[in-house]
Amino acid sequence: MAKAQICDLQQHLEVTQNLAKKRKNDSMERSPLTDRKINVETVADSNKNQAQRSRLPQPSLKRMRLNTTVDNIDPAVVVKKSVCSAASASSKGVSSRPSIGVRSQYGVGLARAIHGTEARSRAVNCAATVAGVIGKKPRVAVTAPSIVQTAAVLSCLGLPAVGSKKRPAWDLKGQLSDMKVQLGNMKTRVCEYTSKLEMSELQSRQLHESMDQRDKQLDAARAHINELQSNLKAVELLLKDREVELAKCQDENTAMQGVLENKLKMKEMELTQKVTCIEEQQSTIAEQRDMIVERDERLHCAEQERRRLHNTVQELKGNIRVICRVRPLLDSEREGLSEIQNVQFSASDEKVIILTKSEESHTGHDRKDEFKYDFSFDHVFQPIATQKDVFEDISQLVQSALDGYNVCIFAYGQTGSGKTFTMEGPDDMTCDTKGMIPRAVDQIFSTAQELKTMGWTYKFTASFLEIYNETIRDLLVTKPEKNVEYEIKLLNNKSKQLHVTNLKYVTVTMKDQVHNLIAMAKANRSVAKTAANDHSSRSHSVFQLQIEGSNSDRDLQCTSTLSLVDLAGSERLDKSQSKGDRLREAQAINTSLSCLGHVIMSLSSKESHIPYRNSKLTYLLQNNLGGNSKTLMFVNLSPLEENFSESLNSLRFANKVNNCVIGTAQVNRK
Ligand code: ADP
Ligand code: MG
């Protein structure tokens, strides 16, 4: 940019300089100032030529000499002075002015006549000639101009002489008159020259001023050029520095490029290695996937085998099993008793329980007969057994419910023997004391979660009811509507599944939801208990969890129901003392419990007709008792001696059940 600007300026300057030169030359050609450079000899030379070209009559030197001599006039002195003044003014470069060095009339006229190059040359020539002629005789004194001399001067000035005819010498008057006319003409011509001279002087001054301006401009332009040149030099220096830097950068770039190329090569090699590694890993992954699929298949087979074996074990144990549990003495019952008196356990065998009773001997007053009643069950839990211990024994049965088997667990025993404690837990339930129902729910949900990895998904539906005096009440409804009828019916003709009309079936997805339902049922039972005085001990409560499992990967479905039943107290009422409602309650309980016994016996003896419909309880549990289900009965005992006979009755009932072999359970699988 800067360079281009400088070039432009230089070009402009050159053009300006040329223009100035040209104008100067022109003005020099035109200006009278040019005369400054013309010396008198040159003027004289050029005047010779001019004289040759001039049409004016040339004065004869001879005549002039003659006239000078005759008339004693000394015009040469005047002319010489005028010419010298004019020449002096010209050589000094000052324009000739009429005032400079001109004192005589002729000098003024001559000086004024010197206007314009041509006229001036002629005047100078003439004056020089005159001066040259006169110079030869400088000592001649001239007092007055003669007519001849005047004519010579006029001739020198290029003015025509008046009258073409030469007047005779004696006609002085005529000659004087001619001279006057000539003088007038001369004056006119002199005026013209003067005005022309003034014009020239004005032009000259203007040209001078213009030239001064041009000079100034030229100086300014030169200064600008100098400045630009110094700038250019600075820029060139900067440019050189930059070029050096650029060269450095290029070297660095080249070096860097080399390093980067090396790095790139390294990375490419690494990438190639990694790609190879990834390919290897992908093939390994593919192999492992195949192995996983194979293992899944094996796992599935193993799971199926486990279920089969598990249920075979359950079958071997018997599809109906009995567990006996003796509750500990309550704080209020410990007065006077340090330990349980009439219940004994075998140290070596966890399946045995012995009831003892000493009675006065019929043979003598001193002897007391000791009566022992031995019973053997799947497991006998002593009072110290915890809820956890007990649940461990039934957890495999709960597992069967997820495998698609109907499972029914119920607690049988007299009021206060610990049925509700075992099934639900105490009122102030903790994590340690929670009963079989909440534990079964926990296990079901955690196992269902584990089975998800094997493709199983489950849907759970919970219901909670009680049967009192052969009437069903929904424990999940706090304020039941009046005259609502709960009837047990087949869900549809195809399936054997039963359901209770108007009963609330709640779909549950988390165990906590079920715990809340259990708490609600417990609260609803307590309200009834207050209203009807120990109502709960004379009603059966039934918690049911319907399980629907599906394995979409293998197109498998299974349905089952887990029923957990807290039966009414099995104590027998003295019929002779029972009247009204109490009698009806007792009869209802007796009916349903004896019905339960009959159903189990009938199943055991494989009778063609099983009397399920004889009680609401057996009808409701129809699918959970018998061939297609696994049943477990808790027989709960009170440790108190006063409850001996009820305990004995319970153990006898349990023993009957325990001796039953109820068909082979079948999985409900499609
Ligand atoms: P049921 O339901 O058979 O009438 P409960 O379950 O109400 O009997 O038990 C009666 C009392 O005995 C309750 O106070 C209960 O807390 C207590 N109880 C029952 N079994 C146990 C046990 N295994 N450990 C501690 N207390 C128990
Ligand atoms: Mg109870």
Side-chain angles (χ1 to χ4, degrees), residues 325 327-328 330 383 385 414-422 426 566:
R325 186 180 194 187
R327 73 160 172 84
L330 303 176
Q414 69 171 117
T415 301
S417 60
K419 299 184 295 295
T420 305
F421 183 96
T422 300
D566 183 0

Side-chain angles (χ1 to χ4, degrees), residues 325-330 333 382-383 385 387 413-422 425-428 529 536-537 566-567 569 636:
R325 186 180 194 187
V326 181
R327 73 160 172 84
L329 281 170
L330 303 176
E333 296 165 345
Q382 296 185 28
Q387 298 280 60
Q414 69 171 117
T415 301
S417 60
K419 299 184 295 295
T420 305
F421 183 96
T422 300
D427 290 343
D428 55 348
K529 184 178 179 179
S536 67
S537 66
D566 183 0
L567 291 171
N636 290 93

Side-chain angles (χ1 to χ4, degrees), residues 200-255:
S200 290
E201 280 173 356
L202 187 66
Q203 279 180 352
S204 169
R205 269 202 301 279
Q206 282 174 348
L207 278 169
H208 264 287
E209 282 168 11
S210 160
M211 274 187 68
D212 288 344
Q213 271 184 6
R214 295 281 172 187
D215 284 345
K216 278 178 189 169
Q217 281 178 357
L218 200 63
D219 290 343
R222 272 194 192 119
H224 190 51
I225 285 170
N226 287 338
E227 195 185 327
L228 285 173
Q229 276 174 341
S230 66
N231 281 353
L232 186 67
K233 273 178 189 169
V235 168
E236 278 172 354
L237 284 172
L238 204 67
L239 208 63
K240 270 184 188 170
D241 287 353
R242 289 284 151 87
E243 276 172 1
V244 171
E245 274 177 34
L246 192 70
K248 254 187 196 177
C249 283
Q250 276 173 345
D251 291 348
E252 279 174 17
N253 261 2
T254 315

Side-chain angles (χ1 to χ4, degrees), residues 438-449:
R439 282 173 195 271
V441 167
D442 288 356
Q443 183 182 325
I444 293 261
F445 275 90
S446 62
T447 310
Q449 189 65 33

